[in-house]
Amino acid sequence: MDELRRHILKSGGGAALALLLGAGLLRPTRVLAANWNAPAFESKDVAGALRGLGAGAAQAQASADLKLDAPEIAENGAVVPLEIVSKIPNTSAIAVLIEKNPQPLAGHFEFSGPLLPQVSLRVKMAETSMVRVLALAGGKYYSSSKEIKVTAGGCGG
Amino acid sequence: MADPMKIRARLAGDVADLRVLMAHPMETGQRKDARSGQPIPPHFIQKFSIALNGTHVLEAQTGMAVSRNPVFGFKLAGIKAGDKFTITWTDNHGETRSDETVVA
């Protein structure tokens, strides 16, 4: 048994591993390796998107320290400016969900180093909807919501 | 190859205001061609990252709800003139584009 194992390690296994390492296939990339989170982004409802992110809705705690700055009425649903600022200590990620969009999850941002936990972006909104932002801080999820009224949708055509 | 990004880094004290405009159609896959009535296939940026002097500070994933020609704004503390930002995006077709700017 041991001899077999040694043999495999010595010949095939070791060589293959070295080859993979050499080709950069097994390089321990810390962050870049993450693939697009299709289950979360392609989910058609908020619950599914939250599941995909690993954030069950029940765990998220409403927080006044997580601010979503956005217009109350968006005349053009194709371009709705949002600004999200988290004052929650140790915020490491922010997610943006537009509850009534065909696919609610719009973006997920992971911060590190000198990047402050805030982001501004422009999104498309199909119709008037609650916009929910989530912040991950110290392993806990916090949320904040705001309704944005849309007078002309941004997804049809 | 997609058009270059427009990146602007403005320094106020040691806090940098970083804004990036990516030239991309961000097609949702929900629209139909007006003439043919055929659905227009989705084509949107799925991931982008920001590196500061070669170290990643942001990993972002985006869905098709991000507006056409996306604009993102970020703030970073402890930045000085000469620091370099590198921004790289990848879309659902596997196309990628990387641009950089040096803080003036």
Side-chain angles (χ1 to χ4, degrees):
Chain A
M1 186 68 173
D2 251 18
E3 226 174 74
L4 178 67
R5 182 167 160 266
R6 203 164 297 145
H7 181 72
I8 290 171
L9 283 173
K10 231 166 118 182
S11 58
L17 192 66
L19 206 70
L20 284 172
L21 279 169
L25 289 173
L26 278 183
R27 203 169 15 163
T29 39
R30 191 172 54 88
V31 280
L32 259 181
N35 282 323
W36 191 63
N37 189 344
F41 280 99
E42 288 176 352
S43 167
K44 292 182 177 7
D45 55 54
V46 173
L50 292 176
R51 265 199 310 278
L53 286 175
Q59 304 160 10
Q61 178 187 332
S63 172
D65 289 333
L66 179 61
K67 288 207 164 57
L68 167 61
D69 192 12
E72 303 221 329
I73 297 173
E75 281 180 17
N76 182 2
V79 184
V80 183
L82 306 178
E83 183 167 16
I84 300 121
V85 178
S86 172
K87 294 227 162 21
I88 302 165
N90 303 318
T91 299
S92 57
I94 286 177
V96 183
L97 298 107
I98 299 150
E99 296 191 358
K100 286 199 181 160
N101 264 11
Q103 295 175 6
L105 185 60
H108 183 251
F109 305 88
E110 287 178 47
F111 306 90
S112 58
L115 195 70
L116 303 177
Q118 63 179 76
V119 55
S120 66
L121 72 160
R122 305 188 306 196
V123 295
K124 291 179 273 222
M125 289 182 64
E127 57 183 303
T128 297
S129 168
M130 290 300 281
V131 174
R132 192 190 304 191
V133 293
L134 276 185
L136 174 62
K140 274 190 185 165
Y141 284 93
Y142 299 86
S143 75
S144 183
S145 298
K146 178 174 179 164
E147 189 186 49
I148 300 177
K149 291 189 169 64
V150 175
T151 47
C155 290
Chain B
M1 193 64 159
D3 285 339
M5 284 173 242
K6 286 182 183 150
I7 307 172
R8 193 197 68 190
R10 191 172 284 169
L11 213 50
D14 72 341
V15 175
D17 192 3
L18 182 69
R19 285 178 73 82
V20 50
L21 189 156
M22 304 166 183
H24 203 280
M26 298 302 284
E27 198 58 65
T28 62
Q30 314 242 339
R31 297 197 312 145
K32 286 193 169 70
D33 186 290
R35 265 173 301 175
S36 68
Q38 292 300 307
I40 302 171
H43 184 203
F44 60 99
I45 292 174
Q46 290 186 320
K47 292 192 287 190
F48 70 94
S49 65
I50 302 176
L52 169 63
N53 300 326
T55 304
H56 280 87
V57 294
L58 176 91
E59 290 296 329
Q61 298 201 353
T62 47
M64 48 84 162
V66 171
S67 300
R68 191 158 67 91
N69 296 331
V71 176
F72 295 97
F74 299 95
K75 275 195 163 65
L76 299 97
I79 304 302
K80 55 189 186 306
D83 281 346
K84 188 170 84 174
F85 290 113
T86 309
I87 303 180
T88 307
W89 59 249
T90 306
D91 70 17
N92 65 323
H93 293 178
E95 282 174 57
T96 181
R97 161 119 217 151
S98 189
D99 290 287
E100 55 189 40
T101 194
V102 174
V103 179

